[in-house]
């Protein structure tokens, strides 16, 4: 086993730039220290190791941010990112919630990744990503600091996402001038992608319009072991064992991976035929071991007659969108800006 | 000057002699290098020199292999290691590797139990790598973060407060421009508006105090007036209630004590200099921890600095007596000295009577900022004080400061920052329901607000500066950071769970710890050691035999 793993390390080193390799390997190592075999999680160490950044009301590269507590009961925080306007390069602090100026301003509700257990809205890697999205899409980005597993299992993350959606939808200052409505998109990577799907599901029949879903390497799974899982297990930073651990940590106790949260088009999923579901942009990395589930998700949407665009990045590993040092990154960012 | 020596009262403990396990001398001061850091990793919160990337990658690989080969050892590593400064990725990986390579020794580590103020012996293994900080590299990344003057902001939730905020800002702007008549009319409007705004939480709660402070500035001028003249006695009472009502001071004491305890490990004559004794709330826990340490307690001297008592009472001595009583009850040889001074800059090092053979800890809880002058010049009090602290060659200097930028020259900027800082702090007080702690804590905070907003020059003593600035200042004054590790972090987090409010959070920041409300850090704790120009003196082994 050790020998084949040594080979694997060399393989994945060849497909990513060195600093990306260092970053993701560091996460992999740290995450290994945090997951306990008994299913508990070393939350103190996780928070200690996580690199966080504060919000900054002074624009940096044209983007400023501030945090809002949107639900006291659950301590639900969101970090809001806005473009600084030319006339007011330094926003007056009372004008953080100044109405959006343009005819149409997309508001992207972003759910960070971390397999439901790791990271926060104020994690450095996600703060950086959200700032990029603002400039890219000329959007306001709302990053949700949802409750995490294993302390908070299904459906807490979805509940928090739903709370955030309702909050965003009801902010007068986020309404586009054109139609006095909030133009909402849901986005997320890894577990965040999964959350985006399920929040969009909950929004159906609620009267809240979600204009589109952007899913980056979304986290889905199932009981079956797919071909990609077997082929890529342990080869590119991720193992099946850790995937299983995270599902066990998030799903209700006793449930298996065919639970609809994990496997939305599986035996326990809900049919989306004839449903008014938002159009989706799904990005799948060619070296992600769960790609068969992600591709099945895309298929499921297609079969239900839903609009979906698949971006399959052959040579990409997980986390490729965290650093802008590869072609996949730029391709994906391009597609996202066109989508919104 | 007050002297009290309680050696006669404190019992003689049978302190066993411990071999002097002095730490190895710090590495010689490296020339400060501006080495290039990988910019993309910096954006992710990690400082790695580009030239070191390959080396770090190799070490990560080795760790990975080790992990695969002996998973049992790895999970042991996981639960017992103390981690330091994760931003310095190279050091973090190295320390894990060295931890993994050798079986850890097993000195027991004692931790402070925040509930009972007792020390609990903990069998956790410490990392074999001693708590030796890396030589603090001066890197361009640090410079950048200082220049940007980051403002951390949490938005107000109450829509009704927005108009009030507008007016507060406009009024402050008028004052900055010198347009006092207009400012006055805004003041009147705001006072009216206040009656119609929700004052239970968020901005409404704190607005009243800011309106008040603006009023003082307009009508009473910037000399401070009566608010600064609160008697020492009053200040102590308010401080004590602030201590009870929210966790900031407890966090400060707890974190500082833990660092001091570790620094004093293996030393038999120790001397703590407290820059602001107050009721000595910080010290019972340290005394008890020292009492329980393996190998027996050291001789502990405590020098407490505080303002003189006007009415003939000797409050410093009274506190000293109480602490001595406590020390006696747990068999710690203890001596107390009080140094009365109305300003910290009036204290001279000879007053502290530091013995060259003892290990010194200097403890400054929210005192250093008071030394920052209104004009940054060569001989500002802070530089003088830092210089004599250094001359004492302390084993450790613990510094806790408000994490805020309240010393900006522009009034409007300062006002804006204070508005956000204090509304967050007030919000966090919501967690406290105990009266009169809460009400008096609010008054304690109100005094700070008033000083920041309505005073200038020497009257303005609340000159809070953020951690990034203190880092530069202290590094420049010849100190280097001692990193606070994951054990201190964990204990601080656990301390917080004793408070029913969900919302307090401890964060690690480049070797320091901050405590904040939701995502906004409000108070920062750090530890420092003086760099000596010559290689550090290795005390001869027999110097530490107890007398």
């Amino acid at each position: 086993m050790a020998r084949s793993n040594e080979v694997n390390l060399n393989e994945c080193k060849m497909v990513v730039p060195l600093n990306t390799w260092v970053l993701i390997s560091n996460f992999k190592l740290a995450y290994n220290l945090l997951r306990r075999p008994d299913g508990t999680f070393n939350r103190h160490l996780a928070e200690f190791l996580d690199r966080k950044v504060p919000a900054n009301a002074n624009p940096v590269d044209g983007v400023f941010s501030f945090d809002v507590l949107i639900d006291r009961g659950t301590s639900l925080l969101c970090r809001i990112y806005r473009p600084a306007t030319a006339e007011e390069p330094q926003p007056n602090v009372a004008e953080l919630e100044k109405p959006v100026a343009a005819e149409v301003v997309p508001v992207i509700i972003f759910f960070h990744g971390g397999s439901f257990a790791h990271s926060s809205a104020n994690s450095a890697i996600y703060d950086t990503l959200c700032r990029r999205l603002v400039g890219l899409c000329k959007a306001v980005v709302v990053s949700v600091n949802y409750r995490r597993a294993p302390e908070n299992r299904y459906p807490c993350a979805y509940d928090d996402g739903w709370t955030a959606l309702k909050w965003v939808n009801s902010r007068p200052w986020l309404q586009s001038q054109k139609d006095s409505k909030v133009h909402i998109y849901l986005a997320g990577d890894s577990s965040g992608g999964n959350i985006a799907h399920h929040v969009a599901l909950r929004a159906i029949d609620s009267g809240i319009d979600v204009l589109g879903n952007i899913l980056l390497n979304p986290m889905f799974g199932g009981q079956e072991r797919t071909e990609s899982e077997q082929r890529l297990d342990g080869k590119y930073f991720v193992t099946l064992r850790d995937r299983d651990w995270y599902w066990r940590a998030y799903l209700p106790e006793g449930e298996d991976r065919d639970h609809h949260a994990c496997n939305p088009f599986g035996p326990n999923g809900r049919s989306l035929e004839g449903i008014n579901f938002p159009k989706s942009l799904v990005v799948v990395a060619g070296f992600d071991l769960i790609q068969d589930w992600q591709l099945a998700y895309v298929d499921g949407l297609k079969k239900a007659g839903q609009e979906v665009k698949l971006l399959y990045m052959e040579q990409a590993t997980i986390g490729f969108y965290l650093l802008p040092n590869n072609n996949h990154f730029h391709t994906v960012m391009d597609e996202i800006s066109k989508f919104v | 000057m007050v002297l009290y020596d309680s050696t006669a009262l404190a019992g003689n403990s049978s302190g066993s002699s411990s071999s002097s396990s002095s730490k190895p001398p710090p590495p010689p001061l490296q020339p400060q290098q501006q080495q290039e850091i990988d910019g993309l990793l910096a954006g992710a919160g990690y400082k790695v020199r580009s030239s070191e990337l390959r080396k770090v990658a190799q070490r990560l690989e080795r760790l990975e292999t080790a992990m695969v080969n002996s998973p049992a050892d790895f999970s042991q590593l996981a639960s017992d290691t103390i981690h330091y400064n994760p931003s310095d990725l190279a050091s973090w990986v190295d320390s894990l590797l060295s931890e993994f390579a050798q079986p850890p020794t097993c000195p027991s580590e004692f931790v402070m139990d925040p509930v009972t103020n007792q020390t609990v012996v903990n069998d956790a293994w410490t990392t074999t790598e001693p708590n030796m900080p890396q030589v603090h590299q001066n890197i361009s990344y640090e410079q950048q973060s200082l220049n940007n003057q980051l403002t951390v902001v949490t938005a107000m939730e109450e829509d009704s407060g927005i108009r009030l905020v507008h007016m507060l800002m406009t009024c402050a702007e008028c004052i900055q421009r010198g347009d006092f008549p207009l400012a006055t009319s805004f003041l009147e409007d705001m006072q009216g508006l206040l009656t119609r705004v929700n004052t239970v939480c968020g901005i409404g709660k704190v607005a009243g105090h800011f309106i008040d402070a603006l009023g003082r500035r307009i009508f009473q001028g910037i000399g401070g007036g009566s608010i600064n003249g609160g008697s020492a006695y009053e200040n102590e009472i308010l401080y004590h209630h602030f201590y009870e009502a929210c966790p900031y001071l407890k966090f400060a004491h707890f974190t500082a004590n833990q660092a001091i305890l570790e620094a004093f490990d293996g030393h038999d004559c120790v001397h703590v200099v407290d820059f602001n004794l107050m009721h000595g709330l910080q010290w019972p826990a340290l005394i008890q921890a020292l009492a329980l340490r393996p190998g027996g307690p050291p001789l502990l001297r405590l020098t407490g600095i505080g303002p003189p008592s006007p009415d003939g009472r000797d409050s410093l001595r009274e506190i000293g007596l109480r602490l001595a009583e406590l020390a006696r009850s747990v068999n710690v040889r203890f001596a107390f000295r009080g140094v009365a001074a109305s300003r910290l800059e009036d204290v001279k090092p000879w007053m502290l009577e530091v013995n060259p053979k003892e290990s010194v800890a200097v403890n400054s809880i929210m005192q250093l900022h008071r030394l920052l002058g209104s004009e940054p010049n060569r001989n500002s009090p802070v530089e003088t004080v830092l210089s004599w602290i250094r001359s004492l060659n302390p084993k450790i200097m613990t510094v806790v400061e408000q994490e805020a930028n309240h010393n900006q020259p522009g009034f409007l900027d300062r006002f804006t920052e204070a508005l956000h800082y204090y509304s967050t702090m007030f919000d966090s007080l919501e967690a406290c329901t105990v009266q009169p702690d809460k009400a008096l804590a609010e008054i304690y905070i109100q005094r700070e607000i008033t000083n920041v907003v309505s005073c200038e020059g020497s009257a303005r003593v609340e000159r809070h500066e953020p951690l990034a600035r203190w880092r530069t200042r202290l590094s420049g004054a010849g100190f280097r950071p001692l990193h606070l590790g994951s054990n201190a972090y964990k204990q601080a987090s656990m301390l917080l769970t004793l408070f029913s409010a969900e919302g307090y959070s401890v964060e690690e920041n480049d070797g320091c710890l901050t405590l904040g409300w939701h995502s906004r850090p409000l108070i920062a704790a750090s530890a420092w050691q003086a760099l000596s120009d010559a290689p550090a003196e290795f005390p001869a082994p027999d110097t530490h035999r107890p007398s």
Side-chain angles (χ1 to χ4, degrees):
Chain A
M1 239 338 142
R3 234 176 293 135
S4 66
N5 271 329
E6 273 165 34
V7 170
N8 294 337
L9 292 175
N10 288 333
E11 263 181 53
C12 63
K13 256 176 131 172
M14 292 196 291
V15 300
V16 293
L18 187 57
N19 48 11
T20 303
W21 192 92
V22 166
L23 182 66
I24 304 192
S25 296
N26 156 65
F27 287 149
K28 176 176 157 191
L29 173 67
Y31 293 179
N32 268 310
L33 295 177
L34 301 171
R35 293 190 302 268
R36 297 200 194 101
D38 64 357
T40 60
F41 189 74
N42 192 340
R43 180 61 65 190
H44 288 130
L45 186 57
E47 292 306 296
F48 180 82
L49 294 176
D50 189 29
R51 306 291 81 207
K52 299 184 196 289
V53 296
N56 191 355
N58 293 327
V60 175
D61 292 334
V63 180
F64 67 94
S65 63
F66 57 98
D67 294 336
V68 185
L69 189 63
I70 67 175
D71 184 309
R72 263 178 198 264
T74 52
S75 285
L76 182 60
L77 267 180
C78 283
R79 178 162 291 180
I80 308 202
Y81 301 84
R82 294 186 67 169
T85 56
E87 316 89 62
E88 287 223 32
Q90 180 128 357
N92 186 326
V93 116
E95 285 161 0
L96 295 176
E97 299 187 358
K98 182 173 154 176
V100 295
E103 279 287 296
V104 174
V105 177
V107 179
I108 303 176
I109 303 182
F110 181 80
F111 301 99
H112 66 81
S115 306
F116 292 105
H118 298 282
S119 296
S120 308
N122 60 347
S123 293
I125 48 172
Y126 288 113
D127 186 85
T128 304
L129 182 59
C130 287
R131 283 171 171 275
R132 289 214 180 92
L133 288 176
V134 172
L136 192 68
C137 306
K138 312 282 179 284
V140 172
V141 176
V142 179
S143 184
V144 183
N145 199 41
Y146 58 88
R147 282 169 293 167
R148 296 162 302 186
E151 301 94 324
N152 300 289
R153 292 175 177 269
Y154 164 95
C156 292
Y158 302 159
D159 288 345
D160 289 350
W162 174 237
T163 304
L165 178 61
K166 283 187 294 184
W167 184 88
V168 166
N169 193 54
S170 61
R171 297 303 104 188
W173 57 277
L174 285 175
Q175 292 169 353
S176 291
Q177 301 274 328
K178 169 169 131 183
D179 52 6
S180 296
K181 290 175 76 172
V182 187
H183 289 218
I184 300 176
Y185 294 82
L186 298 177
D189 73 309
S190 167
S191 51
N194 178 296
I195 296 172
H197 166 83
H198 286 281
V199 172
L201 214 52
R202 214 184 276 204
I204 296 169
D205 302 328
S206 69
I208 299 183
D209 258 329
V210 175
L211 298 176
N213 277 2
I214 301 167
L215 272 50
L216 287 172
N217 299 2
M219 185 171 159
F220 293 116
Q223 271 308 106
E224 187 196 330
R225 298 301 192 194
T226 64
E227 185 269 339
S228 68
E229 283 169 316
Q230 287 164 7
R231 173 170 50 94
L232 294 170
D233 185 9
K235 294 230 163 72
Y236 295 95
F237 307 111
V238 185
T239 65
L240 259 185
R241 253 181 104 194
D242 64 65
R243 293 296 98 206
D244 288 350
W245 190 98
Y246 290 116
W247 284 121
R248 267 197 311 272
Y250 179 64
L251 297 171
E253 314 233 14
E255 291 284 352
D256 70 13
R257 290 187 302 277
D258 280 335
H259 186 275
H260 71 96
C262 176
N263 196 355
F265 288 108
N268 302 310
R270 171 183 171 178
S271 167
L272 290 186
E273 264 182 74
I275 301 282
N276 190 13
F277 195 75
K279 65 174 181 178
S280 300
L281 175 66
V282 182
V283 178
V284 178
F287 290 135
D288 190 343
L289 83 173
I290 59 170
Q291 61 188 270
D292 283 351
W293 293 111
Q294 293 160 340
L295 295 170
Y297 173 79
V298 171
D299 261 345
L301 284 177
K302 281 192 183 145
K303 287 202 181 100
Q306 300 299 341
E307 189 186 333
V308 54
K309 175 162 188 182
L310 167 65
L311 268 183
Y312 187 84
M313 315 303 303
E314 253 187 58
Q315 298 271 310
T317 63
I318 54 144
F320 72 87
Y321 45 81
L322 293 177
L323 299 182
N325 55 6
N326 58 83
N327 288 333
H328 316 300
F329 175 91
H330 296 291
T331 310
V332 167
M333 290 299 143
D334 226 28
E335 290 289 334
I336 292 178
S337 69
K338 286 191 245 171
F339 184 79
V340 168
Chain B
M1 190 155 9
V2 178
L3 295 170
Y4 184 77
D5 189 334
S6 70
T7 327
L9 286 186
N12 284 322
S13 78
S14 55
S16 49
S17 78
S18 56
S19 60
S20 122
S21 58
S22 312
K23 305 219 161 74
L29 181 60
Q30 311 252 351
Q32 303 207 311
Q33 294 156 344
Q34 300 270 343
Q35 297 245 346
E36 216 184 275
I37 306 227
D38 184 286
L40 294 184
L41 288 180
Y46 297 98
K47 294 183 215 160
V48 186
R49 289 201 286 273
S50 306
S51 50
E52 280 196 320
L53 265 178
R54 203 156 286 283
K55 186 180 85 169
V56 173
Q58 280 164 1
R59 308 244 166 131
L60 279 168
E61 257 184 311
R62 278 170 58 192
L63 264 170
E64 160 122 24
T65 312
M67 181 175 91
V68 165
N69 288 339
S70 34
D73 288 342
F74 198 79
S75 62
Q76 192 73 70
L77 175 82
S79 48
D80 297 337
T81 306
I82 303 177
H83 303 258
Y84 294 96
N85 197 3
S87 282
D88 186 351
L89 196 50
S91 310
W92 183 68
V93 174
D94 281 350
S95 73
L96 279 179
L97 255 180
S98 68
E99 173 80 20
F100 205 75
Q102 317 165 27
T105 57
C106 99
S108 58
E109 174 204 304
F110 40 93
V111 307
M112 320 257 287
D113 182 332
V115 183
T116 60
N117 271 337
Q118 301 274 321
T119 309
V120 171
V121 177
N122 184 333
D123 280 329
W125 296 337
T126 57
T127 174
T128 52
E129 185 119 315
N131 180 10
M132 279 321 281
Q134 305 305 310
V135 171
H136 192 73
Q137 302 288 348
N138 193 17
I139 43 199
S140 51
Y141 178 74
E142 290 256 346
Q143 274 322 110
Q144 259 189 329
S145 72
L146 276 180
N147 294 338
N148 278 343
Q149 299 268 337
L150 301 182
T151 309
V152 180
V153 175
T154 309
M156 285 69 80
E157 314 151 53
E158 309 294 325
D159 290 331
S160 53
I162 295 294
R163 200 164 152 230
L164 197 52
V165 173
H166 259 290
M167 298 185 90
L168 278 166
M169 304 294 295
T170 317
C171 182
E173 205 216 342
C174 291
I175 291 176
Q176 173 157 283
R177 281 186 291 119
D179 189 346
F180 289 92
L182 189 53
T184 308
S185 88
F186 273 115
L187 196 65
E188 284 157 8
D189 288 344
M190 284 193 288
Q191 278 155 347
L193 192 56
L194 197 57
T195 60
R196 289 177 276 141
V197 158
N198 177 11
T199 53
V200 170
C201 60
I203 194 64
K205 194 165 184 65
V206 79
H209 299 305
F210 277 87
I211 293 170
D212 223 45
L214 286 173
R216 274 174 204 276
R217 190 181 179 103
I218 295 172
F219 298 119
Q220 291 176 23
I222 53 181
S226 62
I227 201 80
N228 269 0
S231 74
Y233 179 68
E234 267 176 34
N235 288 340
E236 279 172 24
I237 303 284
L238 292 177
Y239 185 89
H240 200 138
H241 286 282
F242 179 67
Y243 174 89
E244 295 293 347
C246 43
Y248 303 107
L249 289 179
K250 293 188 184 78
F251 165 79
H253 294 173
F254 186 76
T255 309
N257 282 347
Q258 190 63 37
I260 293 173
L261 200 58
E262 287 177 25
F264 280 167
D265 192 24
H267 295 269
D268 288 339
C269 289
V270 302
H271 183 174
V272 175
V273 177
D274 187 0
F275 275 3
N276 187 25
L277 186 68
M278 284 294 181
H279 288 163
L281 295 168
Q282 181 170 351
W283 307 117
L286 183 68
I287 292 171
Q288 283 165 331
L290 287 172
L292 288 177
R293 77 173 191 181
L299 163 61
L300 169 67
R301 285 184 58 206
L302 174 66
T303 300
I305 299 172
S309 330
D311 50 359
R313 283 175 58 237
D314 189 342
S315 55
L316 288 173
R317 183 170 184 271
E318 283 170 20
I319 311 282
L321 274 170
R322 267 189 266 145
L323 290 173
E325 191 52 47
L326 170 67
R328 181 177 58 165
S329 73
V330 292
N331 284 326
V332 174
R333 290 167 299 147
F334 178 80
F336 176 83
R337 163 190 289 269
V339 172
S342 18
R343 300 179 315 165
L344 192 53
E345 54 254 54
D346 294 336
V347 174
K348 302 286 174 275
W350 54 264
M351 298 173 186
L352 309 174
E353 292 195 7
V354 169
N355 184 320
K357 292 179 185 169
E358 57 194 11
S359 300
V360 177
V362 173
N363 183 73
S364 166
I365 309 285
M366 304 184 323
Q367 296 305 302
L368 290 186
H369 64 256
R370 305 173 83 90
L371 299 170
L372 297 174
S374 31
E375 328 268 328
N377 57 41
R378 281 232 119 220
N379 294 317
S380 70
V382 70
E383 284 172 29
T384 313
V385 172
L386 285 178
S387 154
W388 66 244
I389 293 176
R390 226 186 122 200
S391 73
L392 299 178
N393 196 23
K395 260 264 142 333
I396 187 170
M397 173 172 69
T398 45
V399 175
V400 179
E401 283 288 327
Q402 289 91 334
E403 181 60 6
N405 199 354
H406 294 154
N407 199 22
Q408 301 170 69
F411 175 70
L412 184 57
D413 288 336
R414 212 161 73 230
F415 183 84
T416 308
E417 171 90 1
L419 190 57
H420 277 269
Y421 180 85
Y422 288 107
S423 65
T424 307
M425 180 164 273
F426 259 85
D427 215 28
S428 76
L429 265 193
E430 280 311 296
C432 172
T433 47
V434 180
Q435 297 291 1
D437 287 338
K438 186 171 169 188
L440 292 173
E442 289 185 10
I443 298 180
Y444 174 85
I445 301 171
Q446 182 190 347
R447 289 196 174 183
E448 268 186 30
I449 294 173
T450 307
N451 191 271
V452 173
V453 172
S454 70
C455 296
E456 290 297 343
S458 56
R460 178 153 61 92
V461 294
E462 299 295 347
R463 294 178 177 269
H464 313 145
E465 289 195 342
L467 186 55
R469 278 218 119 110
W470 284 111
R471 279 207 186 98
T472 308
R473 197 184 290 283
L474 291 172
S475 301
F479 292 87
R480 58 116 181 273
L482 293 174
H483 292 147
L484 303 173
S486 55
N487 54 343
Y489 177 91
K490 178 174 177 180
Q491 287 150 32
S493 296
M494 280 161 44
L495 166 70
L496 289 181
T497 62
L498 298 177
F499 285 83
S500 51
E502 278 239 358
Y504 288 106
S505 62
V506 185
E507 281 182 18
E508 195 278 345
N509 182 332
D510 226 346
C512 306
L513 295 186
T514 63
L515 172 62
W517 177 248
H518 291 293
S519 60
R520 165 78 211 240
L522 293 174
I523 191 169
S526 57
W528 304 82
Q529 190 174 56
L531 287 164
S532 38
D533 302 308
E537 291 170 336
F538 237 130
D542 55 5
T543 326
H544 287 295
R545 244 187 264 133
S547 47

